[in-house]
Amino acid sequence: MRDKATVAIVDDDGSVRETTKDLLDSAGLSAATFASAESFLQSKETCAIQCLIADMRMPGMTGLELHGRLAAAGTPIPTVLITAYPDERERVRALEAGVICFLAKPFTADDLLACVVSALHGPDLA
């Protein structure tokens, strides 16, 4: 039996974490939630994570900084960034850094799930 893909949700907004987790659970994915990038990095679950959904703006480390830190450490995780403050320059910077998707809140369930599928299986299977 194949294990479910595990997706990490890193967002300082508890309601976003929980609704996103519910969406992923209903799609048959396993989700772990974290209130900050720092708590994610300190967790023992990071090696099991196959996709990361991170808020662009959080106190402390941003989602893009988290993505960069993982890549610099040689443990990149396909990343979807979400933001309530969409900015075209940040979007371009994030995509150039290798982020899979950059979604503005509120995003649709279908858009987020398409990004997660792309992150897990590559863009050709999304």
Side-chain angles (χ1 to χ4, degrees), residues 53-100:
I53 299 170
D55 191 13
M56 187 63 186
R57 290 190 186 177
M58 297 181 283
M61 190 183 306
T62 69
L64 186 55
E65 289 168 342
L66 174 58
H67 172 76
R69 168 113 22 123
L70 292 166
T75 55
I77 298 173
T79 302
V80 175
L81 289 179
I82 57 177
T83 184
Y85 305 96
D87 176 273
E88 185 59 22
R89 286 177 299 192
E90 283 186 340
R91 186 185 77 78
V92 169
R93 201 171 95 220
L95 295 174
E96 287 175 349
V99 168
I100 301 294

Side-chain angles (χ1 to χ4, degrees), residues 18-79:
E18 291 312 309
T19 56
T20 304
K21 180 179 181 352
D22 290 346
L23 170 66
L24 296 176
D25 288 345
S26 71
L29 299 165
S30 174
T33 60
F34 303 89
S36 70
E38 293 82 3
S39 66
F40 172 74
L41 290 171
Q42 292 168 3
S43 96
K44 296 185 184 339
E45 296 178 54
T46 55
C47 62
I49 301 300
Q50 296 164 295
C51 174
L52 173 65
I53 299 170
D55 191 13
M56 187 63 186
R57 290 190 186 177
M58 297 181 283
M61 190 183 306
T62 69
L64 186 55
E65 289 168 342
L66 174 58
H67 172 76
R69 168 113 22 123
L70 292 166
T75 55
I77 298 173
T79 302

